[in-house]
Amino acid sequence: MSKKVRILSLDGGGIRGIIPATVLEYVEKQLIEKTNNPNARLADFFDIIVGTSTGGILACFYLTPNPENGVNTPSSKYIASQALELYSKKGKLIFTDAKKHPWFGLRQLFNATRFSAKNIEKILEEEFGNLKFSNLIKPCVVTTYDMNKQSSFFFNSREKKDKKRNFYLKDVARSTSAAPTYFPPAIIKNIATNKLMINLDGGVFANNPAMCAFAECRNTIFEQKKYPNANDMLFLSIGTGGGQLRFPKILKVGFWDVIKWAKAAPDIMMDGSIDTVDYQMKQIFGTFNGNPQFNYKRIDVPLDKRHYDTDMSNASDKNIKALKEAGKEALNDALQESEYSYGLDHFINQLIENG
């Protein structure tokens, strides 16, 4: 029996990236322990990583090649805990310290963007420099929305040459995290053609990119399997604990004004799409014999454990602490076995066995 294609899908969610980063720190530590290899990295045990927004940034971190490429050196530059530290230590710089202060509230009449992009761009420059997206050590797909073409766009680190697409890694990360009203659109250059792109956060159409990842893999030739179906995949999808929707006077929803609907509608659509994708993935993986639904695992914070701010830009010490606790709650929940899913430790063993 051929080995399965191992896929990691990471949701968007701003500073809530702390949650999947906490889970993946545990996964990597277990991989190191179980293989007795101190150089083991997440990149060694996934064949492709797909991410949206904060999940796209995490994907870029996990797959950045180690510049010290020796016989007994790790394949990737960063360990998983460094990705977690990025959010914990630099979240304030990205959000709080970059916040624009309105003058008597008049700024929003002319520019609704809450944060300057200077700090996040500086951090991405420091971490990735002029590394190209195509230099990542494993296939990677990151979502964005192309404003010029008014359509979704998928950065692919293994792009076919005839498409003439190549981008700096920092520009891919900046594009996928350009959330409307949070950061201004990312204006980047396709270095293969010198054409400019104006991009928005991929979360505007795929905050949970699992279905995008599945579709991409179905059309990809992997070493283990050409064009794999669900029965050939081992799929891990990690959320960022969204879904804490608090609606004002919900019993009077029929009488909401334009402002209330304007505030609520984006949250409803985003949260609904996340759950819908999870439902679709479970249905797909449940169509084959031999319980292949065990090949798909979704990890997220249990609803009753979401005790943090709903604002995905809140990088206060208090909220970061709460998000770390939420990450632990997501991890504890993931470790439990169920009738329909393996526990995370069992899933990690599968990652190793299919290596």
Side-chain angles (χ1 to χ4, degrees):
M1 182 179 293
S2 62
K3 292 183 177 180
K4 297 185 185 300
V5 176
R6 300 160 298 176
I7 304 155
L8 175 61
S9 174
L10 301 171
D11 286 16
I15 195 66
R16 296 200 311 264
I18 286 174
I19 293 167
T22 299
V23 173
L24 288 169
E25 180 185 47
Y26 173 85
V27 172
E28 187 173 86
K29 287 180 178 179
Q30 287 299 301
L31 290 170
I32 291 171
E33 182 179 322
K34 291 175 181 289
T35 61
N36 195 29
N37 177 10
N39 290 325
R41 296 292 181 266
L42 291 170
D44 304 324
F45 295 89
F46 287 100
D47 301 298
I48 184 171
I49 302 180
V50 180
T52 285
S53 191
T54 195
I57 293 177
L58 286 173
C60 293
F61 263 84
Y62 298 139
L63 296 177
T64 297
N66 188 351
E68 299 177 4
N69 190 12
V71 177
N72 294 314
T73 58
S75 58
S76 57
K77 178 180 179 180
Y78 301 101
I79 58 175
S81 60
Q82 287 177 289
L84 180 57
E85 287 176 5
L86 172 76
Y87 289 89
S88 301
K89 295 182 178 180
K90 296 188 178 181
K92 283 186 178 181
L93 188 63
I94 294 172
F95 292 110
T96 309
D97 293 349
K99 191 169 186 177
K100 296 178 180 178
H101 298 285
W103 181 64
F104 296 115
L106 294 178
R107 179 188 60 78
Q108 290 192 342
L109 293 176
F110 304 98
N111 185 341
T113 303
R114 293 170 58 189
F115 304 99
S116 166
K118 290 183 180 179
N119 288 354
I120 190 172
E121 289 175 353
K122 180 181 178 182
I123 290 170
L124 294 174
E125 172 70 34
E126 290 172 351
E127 300 295 343
F128 300 135
N130 287 327
L131 193 69
K132 295 180 178 65
F133 193 51
S134 56
N135 294 141
L136 294 183
I137 56 180
K138 287 286 183 69
C140 183
V141 175
V142 173
T143 65
T144 195
Y145 182 84
D146 183 344
M147 294 187 72
N148 282 330
K149 295 185 176 181
Q150 299 178 29
S151 68
S152 57
F153 184 89
F154 300 91
F155 294 106
N156 191 326
S157 68
R158 297 296 184 267
E159 197 72 82
K160 295 178 181 179
K161 290 185 178 180
D162 60 358
K163 287 192 174 183
K164 296 182 179 180
R165 294 176 180 173
N166 203 3
F167 303 90
Y168 289 117
L169 185 57
K170 61 188 177 186
D171 289 342
V172 172
R174 171 72 176 89
S175 293
T176 196
S177 57
T181 75
Y182 286 86
F183 293 108
I187 302 175
I188 70 166
K189 183 182 292 186
N190 178 348
I191 55 179
T193 63
N194 281 326
K195 290 185 178 180
L196 291 180
M197 293 183 70
I198 303 175
N199 299 330
L200 295 179
D201 188 325
V204 300
F205 70 92
N207 210 45
N208 176 350
M211 188 59 68
C212 300
F214 180 78
E216 183 67 32
C217 291
R218 287 287 289 122
N219 196 39
T220 300
I221 297 174
F222 292 94
E223 183 178 341
Q224 306 95 314
K225 184 75 175 182
K226 295 181 179 179
Y227 314 119
N229 59 36
N231 206 31
D232 306 310
M233 298 178 186
L234 194 59
F235 203 112
L236 180 61
S237 172
I238 309 181
T240 60
Q244 304 161 275
L245 307 187
R246 300 187 181 113
F247 302 126
K249 299 180 180 179
I250 193 168
L251 292 178
K252 296 184 178 180
V253 64
F255 300 95
W256 278 5
D257 56 27
V258 173
I259 294 177
K260 285 189 175 68
W261 273 114
K263 290 181 178 179
D267 290 334
I268 293 172
M269 290 187 288
M270 183 174 290
D271 183 59
S273 68
I274 291 172
D275 295 338
T276 300
V277 170
D278 182 39
Y279 170 80
Q280 292 168 333
M281 292 297 293
K282 287 175 179 174
Q283 295 303 306
I284 290 172
F285 276 80
T287 56
F288 294 89
N289 294 324
N291 291 327
Q293 64 265 32
F294 289 113
N295 295 343
Y296 167 76
K297 186 168 186 63
R298 172 71 174 174
I299 299 175
D300 211 340
V301 185
L303 284 173
D304 61 344
K305 303 295 183 181
R306 300 182 180 186
H307 307 306
Y308 43 83
D309 194 344
T310 57
D311 185 352
M312 65 180 185
S313 67
N314 184 345
S316 66
D317 291 339
K318 179 181 178 181
N319 199 49
I320 285 177
K321 181 180 179 181
L323 288 168
K324 287 182 177 180
E325 289 301 317
K328 293 176 183 177
E329 293 291 353
L331 177 58
N332 291 336
D333 185 67
L335 291 170
Q336 306 305 311
E337 299 274 348
S338 77
E339 182 182 355
Y340 303 103
S341 177
Y342 290 131
L344 181 56
D345 283 336
H346 192 291
F347 197 91
I348 293 170
N349 290 336
Q350 286 186 291
L351 291 176
I352 296 171
E353 291 168 7
N354 284 275

